[in-house]
Amino acid sequence: MIRDIIIKLFTSYDLVAAFGIVALIMLISYGFASAIGQKRMGSAISIVVGLILAYIGGKYTGGKNGLADIEIFAGIGLLGGGMFRDFAIISTAYGAKIENLKKAGLPGVISLLVGVFFSLFAGAIIAFLLGYKDPVDIATIGGGAVTFIVGPVTGTALGASSDVIALSIATGVVKSVLTMIITPFIANRIKLNNPTSAMVYGGLIGTTSGVAGGLAATNPELVPYGAMTATFYTGLGSLLVPSIGFLIIRLIFG
Amino acid sequence: MEIYGLGLVAMCMFIGSFIGRIIGVLVGVSGDVGGVGFAMLLLILITNYLDKKGKPLSQGTGRGILLLSSLYIPIVVAMSANQDVVSAFQGGIVAFIAGGVATVGGIMLVPVISKIGSNKNE
């Protein structure tokens, strides 16, 4: 009886349940992050936990929607679906100033364009070399190498399969985590010690959590400069990758 | 009011997605091409235009938008929790190499492009 009532609660209030579950995942992940002295890795760790839970859910149900295939966690599918994801991403543009884009200046703009296309084609070439032949899959994985948002946005727009979208998210997460780890160690060698190079760095790497985490571990004073250009990166990627990027990729690999 | 913020983002989303879908039809791709990017651009243009006119969004409206943007990472966590990770693992090496090359290559480009900036300033 108790079990039935609990299941009924989770299935009736599925979206509310999803908020609670995600809050719990993030509470544990951020707790773990600060316990190992890497507070800024909290978001990256939460995402990895999400992917692990999706793996467990997929193994358990044999379905394609990870945790959301388990009846009581169905709300995760709604909260993490395309509708809420796009709604939230668009809102992050709020606060970005056109003047700030101008202030970042020529190197900022160049680094944004080079950063998006370099990551896209680096990811695309690797995907092609490792056996992906469909331009939609190649563009989606390349999008993931841009950021873990651009990958699924591209994949959803172009109609890629869920496993390729998951792969593109994993690619973006690898980039984000790796950025946080590598940056402080090679900051001196790439002369990452002034606002201009921080803006260029933000524009080239673009994954907001990776850039903020990497710069914070290098020199906290540089964080706003890197974040300034990185703010535009995911938006620019979401605009360019499924459109011009895909057309170029279809031309080369199609 | 907070709901105006949510409404403004909703409007941007519908207009952006409308443009994206029209482009999708024009280039022969099913679905939405760059709609999210257009919506973000629209939101930036609208808020900057209102700021310039001296009529910025009210605090409440801003809070509505900030509520949404603060849900960005949690939504990404939920998104990652409903992906087909089991299948992705079968090609998992792609994620590590593609993500790795994009990161290391991008970082190596920092001094090259910083140089363009400093030459320009001199």
Side-chain angles (χ1 to χ4, degrees):
Chain A
M1 184 185 74
I2 300 286
R3 187 172 176 273
D4 288 344
I5 291 175
I6 291 175
I7 290 176
K8 185 79 184 148
L9 277 179
F10 271 87
T11 50
S12 314
Y13 302 145
D14 56 351
L15 184 59
V16 176
F19 277 116
I21 294 159
V22 171
L24 190 65
I25 293 174
M26 294 188 67
L27 183 71
I28 294 169
S29 305
Y30 276 77
F32 177 73
S34 61
I36 60 169
Q38 298 289 338
K39 263 195 171 150
R40 291 196 168 267
M41 287 188 66
S43 55
I45 293 171
S46 313
I47 291 166
V48 172
V49 171
L51 289 169
I52 292 170
L53 291 175
Y55 182 82
I56 296 170
K59 276 280 178 203
Y60 178 69
T61 62
K64 293 208 164 296
N65 301 309
L67 204 57
D69 279 332
I70 300 174
E71 194 189 8
I72 57 168
F73 298 135
I76 292 276
L78 184 54
L79 183 61
M83 180 173 66
F84 276 116
R85 188 201 57 214
D86 290 352
F87 198 33
I89 295 170
I90 294 164
S91 73
T92 62
Y94 176 61
K97 297 253 180 283
I98 296 173
E99 297 92 275
N100 283 349
L101 187 61
K102 287 180 186 162
K103 216 185 286 171
L106 187 65
V109 173
I110 294 174
S111 66
L112 276 168
L113 289 170
V114 172
V116 168
F117 281 107
F118 174 80
S119 297
L120 171 62
F121 289 112
I125 289 167
I126 300 293
F128 181 76
L129 291 179
L130 292 177
Y132 288 85
K133 303 294 179 212
D134 181 353
V136 170
D137 294 348
I138 294 173
T140 303
I141 295 166
V146 178
T147 70
F148 55 73
I149 297 293
V150 176
V153 166
T154 305
T156 311
L158 301 177
S161 63
S162 173
D163 60 320
V164 172
I165 292 177
L167 192 57
S168 76
I169 295 173
T171 305
V173 171
V174 167
K175 183 181 181 186
S176 183
V177 172
L178 214 56
T179 301
M180 290 183 228
I181 298 170
I182 295 178
T183 305
F185 293 105
I186 62 163
N188 274 333
R189 281 181 60 187
I190 60 169
K191 299 195 173 60
L192 185 58
N193 52 17
N194 60 75
T196 303
S197 62
M199 285 191 285
V200 168
Y201 167 82
L204 279 171
I205 304 295
T207 154
T208 317
S209 53
V211 165
L215 284 177
T218 306
N219 178 0
E221 283 176 22
L222 297 177
V223 171
Y225 297 100
M228 193 191 292
T229 40
T231 310
F232 292 96
Y233 188 87
T234 289
L236 192 68
S238 303
L239 181 66
L240 293 179
V241 173
S243 51
I244 304 169
F246 173 65
L247 293 179
I248 298 173
I249 281 176
R250 194 170 60 176
L251 218 62
I252 300 173
F253 302 101
Chain B
M1 277 209 292
E2 282 76 356
I3 187 66
Y4 296 156
L6 299 178
L8 176 63
V9 179
M11 185 191 79
C12 291
M13 184 167 170
F14 272 71
I15 295 174
S17 192
F18 182 75
I19 298 172
R21 278 161 206 271
I22 285 185
I23 294 178
V25 173
L26 291 180
V27 301
V29 179
S30 68
D32 183 343
V33 178
V36 171
F38 287 119
M40 291 177 91
L41 206 60
L42 192 63
L43 184 61
I44 294 175
L45 289 176
I46 290 173
T47 52
N48 278 268
Y49 173 74
L50 290 175
D51 280 349
K52 219 175 211 171
K53 260 186 93 182
K55 287 184 192 167
L57 296 181
S58 74
Q59 255 196 333
T61 308
R63 271 202 302 270
I65 303 177
L66 291 176
L67 166 71
L68 258 187
S69 61
S70 67
L71 285 177
Y72 161 73
I73 293 291
I75 285 172
V76 170
V77 172
M79 177 184 79
S80 62
N82 64 51
Q83 296 302 317
D84 191 359
V85 181
V86 175
S87 308
F89 250 90
Q90 283 149 14
I93 192 75
V94 177
F96 283 95
I97 301 182
V101 170
T103 307
V104 174
I107 289 177
M108 292 306 169
L109 285 171
V110 171
V112 180
I113 293 180
S114 298
K115 208 176 252 177
I116 297 174
S118 58
N119 285 347
K120 189 80 186 171
N121 291 338
E122 273 160 16

